[in-house]
Amino acid sequence: MCGRYATARGRQEIIDDFDVERDTTDALEPDYNVAPTKPVPLILTRDVRELHVARWGLVPSWAKDLSIGARMINARVETVHEKPAFRRAFVRRRCLLPADGYYEWYAREDGGKQPFFIRPSDGSMLAMAGLYEIWRPDREVGRGGPGGRSGSVGRDGLVGSDTEESEEEWVLTCTVITTEATDDVGRIHERMPMLVEPERFGAWLDPALSGPDEIRSLLVPAAAGSLEAYPVSTAVNKVRNNGPDLVKPLPEMGISSNETPTLF
């Protein structure tokens, strides 16, 4: 999976679709061009199911600074339970990342790359399987450390705690678990986000479920035919570009038949 996706649904729609019981967000701005280190909506369970805002790019608790997060936006499902940066979160800190869809770039024979937007064919939201971590900068980094309001948390590791310390001293970060792409989208890119079906939300988010094999059994690739892909403007290539035009389909255009069978 490349490092871009779109999350533009309203806060109430996310709350309703994911049965959120506690909303910790001040506001959720639509973002049609989510890139590494940007704030994203995240759903997790403590006593109840909660909606938070996190920084995309997992920062392990032992990291010296936030910069490592830019390289930790994805975790491969094949090895996530083994990698030092992810294995503890896989057992104890799993989350869901709502998305309208995600972008991938198809490499053409002429050397160029065409962006495609991949989304549920029924218009629903994606529930991408994710992991989260809670990171605190060293005190010498300074109060109100890196990250600002987006993805900042309190003393107990999450927004909303009653504390005298600045909530900006803690940062909530996340990563997306990826898997091999299904045939629907595999002709564009070999990887895709691992998705969680609604009937498995509760088990996936349950922090009491800690057996790696049992956890892995909850993850299945997207069902055949459940996703659609179409080409979009190369404006998405620049992070500063945003807005609904980025996910608007281009005129009739498929993957050339002399390169690989068309998807369209």
Side-chain angles (χ1 to χ4, degrees), residues 14-40:
I14 293 175
I15 289 171
D16 292 343
D17 282 10
F18 289 87
D19 295 324
V20 169
E21 297 179 61
R22 180 168 179 254
D23 176 18
T24 73
T25 63
D26 293 331
L28 287 180
E29 296 296 330
D31 194 339
Y32 293 88
N33 199 0
V34 177
T37 76
K38 292 182 75 174
V40 296

Side-chain angles (χ1 to χ4, degrees), residues 4 12 15 43 80 85 94 115 121 153 163 171 179 201 204 227 238:
R4 302 286 178 84
Q12 192 59 51
I15 289 171
I43 295 153
V80 65
R94 297 179 299 277
S121 53
V153 292
T163 174
V171 183
T179 186
F201 285 177
W204 174 253
L227 299 176
K238 295 182 179 179

Side-chain angles (χ1 to χ4, degrees), residues 63-80:
K64 293 184 187 227
D65 59 61
L66 282 168
S67 62
I68 191 174
R71 305 191 302 275
M72 298 280 188
I73 61 170
N74 296 159
R76 296 174 68 93
V77 70
E78 297 88 349
T79 58
V80 65

Side-chain angles (χ1 to χ4, degrees), residues 5 7-9 14 25 28-29 31 34 38-43 51-54 95-99 128 174:
Y5 69 95
T7 177
R9 305 298 176 100
I14 293 175
T25 63
L28 287 180
E29 296 296 330
D31 194 339
V34 177
K38 292 182 75 174
V40 296
L42 174 149
I43 295 153
L51 175 62
H52 293 264
V53 174
C95 63
L96 294 170
L97 299 168
M128 301 190 296
C174 62

Side-chain angles (χ1 to χ4, degrees), residues 66-129:
L66 282 168
S67 62
I68 191 174
R71 305 191 302 275
M72 298 280 188
I73 61 170
N74 296 159
R76 296 174 68 93
V77 70
E78 297 88 349
T79 58
V80 65
H81 61 296
E82 302 171 338
K83 296 293 185 181
F86 303 128
R87 63 190 178 197
R88 290 189 65 189
F90 185 69
V91 172
R92 301 175 59 189
R93 290 180 287 275
R94 297 179 299 277
C95 63
L96 294 170
L97 299 168
D100 293 36
Y102 65 98
Y103 301 96
E104 288 296 358
W105 279 256
Y106 175 71
R108 302 191 306 260
E109 282 189 340
D110 63 7
K113 290 187 177 182
Q114 172 61 50
F116 280 75
F117 189 61
I118 301 167
R119 66 181 183 184
S121 53
D122 63 2
S124 62
M125 271 187 283
L126 292 174
M128 301 190 296

Side-chain angles (χ1 to χ4, degrees), residues 4 33 105 115 232-242 245-246:
R4 302 286 178 84
N33 199 0
W105 279 256
V232 294
S233 168
T234 54
V236 73
N237 295 352
K238 295 182 179 179
V239 175
R240 68 174 178 268
N241 293 332
N242 216 310
D245 285 348
L246 295 184

